Amino acid sequence: MCAFAAVLAGCDIVPQFYDNNEYMILAKIETSSRLLRDECVDINHDTTPRIEQLYETAELFRTYTFYQPQNKLVAEQGKIIADNIGELRMRERQGEPSASYCQLKAETITVAAQRVLSTIGNKTRR
């Protein structure tokens, strides 16, 4: 009965397994934020495309992790990462954020993504 209930409501005994898609999406966020950190200091570089791509990828990660069963902690971290990227995007849309702000926000996103990557990487493999 619990196996059937897990499909419908999520049983506590069903473990969350490693998910290649989840890991790949977050790896893209980590990579893009790391690249953005270096781009922020180049006054001739337009960071808008990178920030927009990061925003879209973070929203994908937030949505994907939210709907995974037994994945509350990763979903919460996904929301934090997406919110940080959303703040950076908002500042960028209001006018160029300072290079320092951009670098700091990119570093914050990178570190958060690296921590979650470590967590996801330690999930049980099927």
Side-chain angles (χ1 to χ4, degrees), residues 23-35:
Y23 197 83
M24 177 60 81
I25 296 167
L26 188 59
K28 287 180 182 181
I29 292 170
E30 191 276 343
T31 302
S32 291
S33 63
R34 204 167 14 88
L35 294 172

Side-chain angles (χ1 to χ4, degrees), residues 35-43 45 47 98-99 102-103 106:
L35 294 172
L36 175 64
R37 185 180 58 215
D38 296 334
E39 293 168 355
C40 289
V41 295
D42 183 354
I43 59 171
H45 189 78
T47 57
S98 69
C102 182
Q103 275 191 303

Side-chain angles (χ1 to χ4, degrees), residues 71-126:
N71 205 27
K72 184 178 179 180
L73 293 176
V74 175
E76 288 172 355
Q77 293 303 308
K79 180 183 180 322
I80 291 168
I81 291 169
D83 289 348
N84 270 294
I85 294 169
E87 290 170 12
L88 175 60
R89 181 178 183 241
M90 183 177 64
R91 288 281 295 267
E92 188 273 331
R93 286 183 164 202
Q94 293 172 347
E96 291 293 321
S98 69
S100 297
Y101 177 85
C102 182
Q103 275 191 303
L104 183 61
K105 210 54 151 165
E107 179 67 23
T108 299
I109 295 161
T110 300
V111 169
Q114 289 170 343
R115 278 192 229 140
V116 180
L117 281 167
S118 294
T119 300
I120 292 171
N122 286 327
K123 286 183 178 181
T124 304
R125 304 278 200 284
R126 291 183 195 197

